């Protein structure tokens, strides 16, 4: 019984870290994966570096973005989920 109460603060600390740090990060990563897989040609997007454009072509891991300056090939993971969602709401 004494050893259990000795480890209770460590166990409680791990549970708090899990629910406030690890779990939200896993949920965000899952949402980003779903967003990347749901992209389709013609979607208006913003990259994480701030480039605005429209999806011209899709491949397994890459996407071709049509911008005012031309076409750029980028990784799907370079597209910002939050900023693209707010752009499409307008």
């Amino acid at each position: 019984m004494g050893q259990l109460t000795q480890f209770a603060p460590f166990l409680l600390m791990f549970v708090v870290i899990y629910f406030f740090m690890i779990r939200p990060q896993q949920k965000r990563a899952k949402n980003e994966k779903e967003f990347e897989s749901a992209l389709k040609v013609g979607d208006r997007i913003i990259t994480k570096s701030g480039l605005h454009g429209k999806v011209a072509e899709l491949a397994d891991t890459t996407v071709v973005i049509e911008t005012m300056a031309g076409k750029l090939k980028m990784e799907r993971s370079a597209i910002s989920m939050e900023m693209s969602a707010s752009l499409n709401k307008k």
Side-chain angles (χ1 to χ4, degrees), residues 45-59:
I45 54 101
I46 301 175
T47 64
K48 292 180 181 176
S49 61
L51 293 171
H52 292 243
K54 188 168 32 172
V55 177
E57 299 174 32
L58 291 169

Side-chain angles (χ1 to χ4, degrees), residues 14-76:
F14 177 75
V15 168
V16 168
I17 288 172
Y18 176 77
F19 281 107
F20 285 109
M21 294 178 74
I22 297 171
R23 191 165 180 249
Q25 187 174 3
Q26 289 175 340
K27 191 174 182 181
R28 189 176 316 114
K30 180 183 173 192
N31 287 343
E32 285 182 9
K33 287 282 187 191
E34 289 174 2
F35 171 76
E36 289 173 17
S37 65
L39 281 175
K40 56 190 179 298
V41 174
D43 284 350
R44 293 178 8 176
I45 54 101
I46 301 175
T47 64
K48 292 180 181 176
S49 61
L51 293 171
H52 292 243
K54 188 168 32 172
V55 177
E57 299 174 32
L58 291 169
D60 289 338
T61 60
T62 60
V63 62
V64 175
I65 300 170
E66 188 176 326
T67 65
M68 293 179 76
K71 292 185 177 183
L72 300 168
K73 187 174 186 176
M74 305 184 110
E75 293 292 317
R76 284 186 181 217

